[in-house]
Amino acid sequence: MTKQIEILIVEDDKRISDIHRRFIEKLEGFKVIGSAYTGEEAKDWIISYMPDLILLDVYLPDTLGTDLLTIIQEHSPDTDIIFITAAAESEIVKKAFRGGVADYILKPLTFEKFKESLLSYKTKRDILTGSGRVQEELIKSLWNNTSSIPHSEDTPPKGIDPITKEKVVNHIKKVNDGITAEALGLEVGVSRSTARRYLEYLASEKLVYAELIYGTVGRPERRYFIHSS
């Protein structure tokens, strides 16, 4: 079983920290090892546990998150950092970039933005944990945005979450007479546009196929059916 990525949350607002924790619990391959609400607490966690990843706020009661970058580099150089902050000052951004921060997310935060960042980070981490030579295309993807990361069945394109994809496929398998994007959205708990995106992606992967179903009144419905194995 693949080792989970251990995350330390450094955020002075307990409510926001709890939101981050709940977001992480929805994602496969990650686990929270602790939360720190001050810079001093964060230092103790960093030195004692050396987490794989730190979700770091900038404005802490006793210090700036950027001031922790040297502590992390000194005591836990293999720890990666994602800033989640309202700070957009150029000096803060420059320090984060020069300090090797993996991503910089501005508040207010949405789950989609959070998920995209962590899944992109995980993909890049997986590339770096491999051995031997790294293909040029993968090297380029490490320094480009998430949309340029090569994808396969194991690494879907931007906007396609593997967990949601599996949930959608399993749901369609249970439906005998096909399903529309609107119905899928309601039944799975996503927006109609999100449902359509997943259905069209699955169609491109030949996992489902679409048919226009003509009713007695109104416009024809585009219904999706699972491909029989």
Side-chain angles (χ1 to χ4, degrees), residues 32 34-35 84 86-87 129 135 138-139 149 167 174 180 187 192 194:
V32 177
S35 298
I84 302 179
T129 54
Q135 295 178 1
L138 295 178
I139 293 173
I149 297 175
K167 185 177 179 181
K174 300 174 184 177
T180 64
E187 293 169 22
R192 179 179 179 177
T194 298

Side-chain angles (χ1 to χ4, degrees), residues 8-13 35-48 51 54-72 75 83:
L8 171 66
I9 301 170
V10 181
E11 164 65 59
D12 70 313
D13 188 324
S35 298
Y37 305 104
T38 67
E40 282 302 314
E41 289 180 4
K43 289 177 187 177
D44 290 340
W45 275 100
I46 292 162
I47 294 170
S48 300
I54 297 176
L55 304 184
L56 182 58
D57 190 13
V58 169
Y59 299 125
L60 301 171
D62 54 347
T63 190
L64 290 175
T66 48
D67 294 335
L68 292 175
L69 295 179
T70 54
I71 301 294
I72 296 167
H75 294 281
F83 268 20

Side-chain angles (χ1 to χ4, degrees), residues 53-203:
L53 175 65
I54 297 176
L55 304 184
L56 182 58
D57 190 13
V58 169
Y59 299 125
L60 301 171
D62 54 347
T63 190
L64 290 175
T66 48
D67 294 335
L68 292 175
L69 295 179
T70 54
I71 301 294
I72 296 167
Q73 290 165 356
E74 179 180 354
H75 294 281
S76 187
D78 291 332
T79 294
D80 297 310
I81 306 153
I82 292 177
F83 268 20
I84 302 179
T85 179
E89 295 84 351
S90 60
E91 283 304 311
I92 297 290
V93 175
K94 280 189 280 189
K95 285 182 180 179
F97 183 79
R98 291 168 181 164
V101 171
D103 200 359
Y104 198 113
I105 309 175
L106 284 174
K107 297 176 180 176
L109 183 66
T110 64
F111 176 63
E112 287 300 319
K113 193 188 299 184
F114 185 94
K115 179 175 67 174
E116 180 181 324
S117 177
L118 262 67
L119 292 181
S120 173
Y121 164 75
K122 185 176 185 298
T123 299
K124 294 178 180 182
R125 181 184 176 88
D126 289 343
I127 294 171
L128 293 171
T129 54
S131 58
R133 291 180 60 84
V134 181
Q135 295 178 1
E136 180 181 358
E137 191 175 6
L138 295 178
I139 293 173
K140 288 166 62 179
S141 76
L142 291 170
W143 277 272
N144 291 331
N145 59 33
T146 54
S147 62
S148 64
I149 297 175
H151 63 272
S152 63
E153 186 176 357
D154 296 324
T155 55
K158 179 180 178 181
I160 300 296
D161 169 40
I163 299 173
T164 305
K165 172 191 168 187
E166 183 178 1
K167 185 177 179 181
V168 168
V169 170
N170 290 336
H171 188 80
I172 301 173
K173 286 179 179 178
K174 300 174 184 177
V175 180
N176 294 324
D177 55 349
I179 195 166
T180 64
E182 184 175 7
L184 178 68
L186 290 172
E187 293 169 22
V188 176
V190 297
S191 68
R192 179 179 179 177
S193 60
T194 298
R196 173 61 63 85
R197 182 169 71 247
Y198 277 88
L199 289 168
E200 291 298 332
Y201 169 71
L202 293 174

Side-chain angles (χ1 to χ4, degrees), residues 1-4 28-29:
M1 184 176 178
T2 305
K3 176 183 177 293
Q4 290 185 304
E28 188 175 350

